[in-house]
Amino acid sequence: MMIKTNLKTAFLGALLCASQLFAQEKVSNTLPWSVRMTESEMIRCPKSWQLDFQPKLKWDYCHGLELGAILDVYDMYGDKKLFNYALSYADTMTYEDGSIETYNPNELSLDRINTGKFYFRIYEQTKNEKYKKALDLLRKQFDSQPRTSEGGFWHKKVYPHQMWLDGIYMGSPFYAEYAFRNNRPQDYADIINQFVVIARHTYDPATGLYRHAWDESREQKWADKKTGQSAHCWGRAMGWYAMALVDALDYIPKHEAGRDSMLNILNNVAAQIKKYQDKKTGLWYQVIDRSGDKGNYLESSCSTMFVYTLFKAIRMGYIDKSYLQVAEKGYKGILRDFIEVDKQGVISITKACAVAGLGGNPYRAGDYEYYINEKIRSNDPKAVGPFILASLEWERLHK
């Protein structure tokens, strides 16, 4: 009983110390928004493995999204503590033989690939071979990843015959960067094909939008028996796809056959982002094809993803500069309607859908009622990461 009491006392003491530390830390309002959000996250999560509300070590896409964004802040503004924050996660999760804590290649889940993207820079700067081995391990998963009849990767082994827009972001930018850094031009056609196949099968000609997912087998209850498409365009799914386009294009040579197909898709994505932008706020709805309908709401993760995509696509010359008005209106809307600042200067981003998917157990039907009733929370990394990225683009534009 004494041991249990002492452990409980120690735990409560640690919590008290953490809360006191949080109360003492401040974030200056003179800093750029990207730095303010980064410092706020580091206060909320003193250890980088704690990101995404994690109580224990986990290898998943949210850490990669957010730590990659934090490394971008480091690249732009310096401050070694930002690099060390990202490095500590990499070091904690990676063994000397390149194996990764909690990563199981046999799951064949594209969600497990995304975090590897920030390892390219960790390896570049540390030259520690365990990170190169980890990158090779993640790349090897593509050799076994099940595919549709047209060569599109299944989202996960447990989701047979299905391609999700989410999965393109989770796998293809990593695949493209690995090919670029390791002199594998033979991979570019396969990478481009991932974007083209899912665009072909999720495109809704009635709206111009891309629906969340496609089931080639038409076996899922959420899949249309004729097209295999899911019922709706979920904002964040299209946001993932939009970011995947601008990020993968960084590494695909301009002369590569089929690259123009990606640019054509990106230009349609940009046109739909503009078309469905809420005229009053400059933001976007959780379910894009039901924008403004009862129960629908303006959602922060898709809004930040769309703004980042537009800013970057304009900077890189992928889309017309006229989209700058759309991006700036969206960014100002994010600051006005989603960003909150406490007395210590710590900032939060609100109104993010915690998670949404299709199928599984319990079964997710992907109907309108499902999407609008999923949990909403603040400081979800799927909004935090894209907000940092969008802010960096804004800051680069206005330097």
Side-chain angles (χ1 to χ4, degrees), residues 55-208:
K56 59 184 179 179
L57 298 181
K58 184 181 182 182
W59 177 263
D60 206 7
Y61 63 91
C62 284
H63 287 83
L65 170 64
E66 199 165 332
L67 293 173
I70 289 172
L71 283 180
D72 286 350
V73 178
Y74 168 69
D75 289 343
M76 188 158 173
Y77 293 109
D79 196 341
K80 197 63 180 289
K81 75 180 180 185
L82 305 186
F83 179 81
N84 290 337
Y85 186 74
L87 176 62
S88 68
Y89 180 75
D91 194 46
T92 299
M93 299 299 290
T94 316
Y95 296 97
E96 290 305 313
D97 64 355
S99 59
I100 301 168
E101 179 70 27
T102 77
Y103 169 62
N104 178 5
N106 295 323
E107 284 184 340
L108 295 171
S109 170
L110 292 179
D111 285 347
R112 305 294 178 255
I113 298 293
N114 181 65
T115 294
K117 286 187 308 197
F118 91 96
Y119 272 37
F120 290 114
R121 282 181 284 178
I122 295 292
Y123 174 62
E124 193 174 56
Q125 296 200 35
T126 65
K127 304 302 181 185
N128 189 325
E129 282 298 311
K130 72 176 183 178
Y131 300 124
K132 178 65 169 67
K133 293 174 183 176
L135 287 164
D136 293 341
L137 175 67
L138 292 166
R139 168 59 183 83
K140 191 176 180 181
Q141 181 179 313
F142 291 127
D143 296 337
S144 304
Q145 194 74 19
R147 296 172 180 256
T148 68
S149 61
E150 296 167 293
F153 291 132
W154 292 7
H155 187 57
K156 298 180 183 182
K157 184 170 68 173
V158 296
Y159 295 148
H161 313 291
Q162 300 168 41
M163 292 186 76
W164 295 17
L165 291 175
D166 321 32
I168 303 300
Y169 179 83
M170 301 307 158
S172 293
F174 174 92
Y175 195 2
E177 187 167 357
Y178 189 97
F180 178 82
R181 288 177 178 264
N182 292 276
N183 193 27
R184 291 183 57 88
Q186 66 270 29
D187 289 341
Y188 290 133
D190 190 25
I191 295 160
I192 292 168
N193 192 50
Q194 304 305 314
F195 289 93
V196 173
V197 170
I198 200 164
R200 181 185 304 131
H201 291 292
T202 60
Y203 179 70
D204 176 12
T207 63

Side-chain angles (χ1 to χ4, degrees), residues 286-338:
Q286 162 78 341
V287 184
I288 303 291
D289 54 290
R290 296 286 298 271
S291 293
D293 285 3
K294 184 178 180 181
N296 210 350
Y297 61 94
L298 297 167
E299 198 272 337
S300 61
S301 69
C302 73
S303 295
T304 51
M305 290 175 177
F306 290 156
V307 168
Y308 163 65
T309 297
L310 292 182
F311 274 141
K312 183 173 181 179
I314 293 163
R315 174 168 61 84
M316 298 299 293
Y318 301 147
I319 62 175
D320 191 82
K321 291 181 180 179
S322 63
Y323 284 103
L324 187 59
Q325 290 182 326
V326 181
E328 289 191 322
K329 183 175 182 179
Y331 188 70
K332 290 174 183 176
I334 291 165
L335 293 179
R336 182 188 61 246
D337 292 350
F338 294 144

Side-chain angles (χ1 to χ4, degrees), residues 231-268:
H232 293 287
C233 172
W234 175 39
R236 183 154 76 231
M238 194 161 144
W240 287 129
Y241 187 52
M243 292 201 302
L245 284 159
V246 293
D247 288 351
L249 280 166
D250 285 344
Y251 302 103
I252 298 176
K254 291 183 179 179
H255 65 266
E256 187 66 35
R259 189 175 187 270
D260 57 338
S261 298
M262 290 179 64
L263 291 171
N264 289 336
I265 294 167
L266 176 57
N267 272 269
N268 181 59

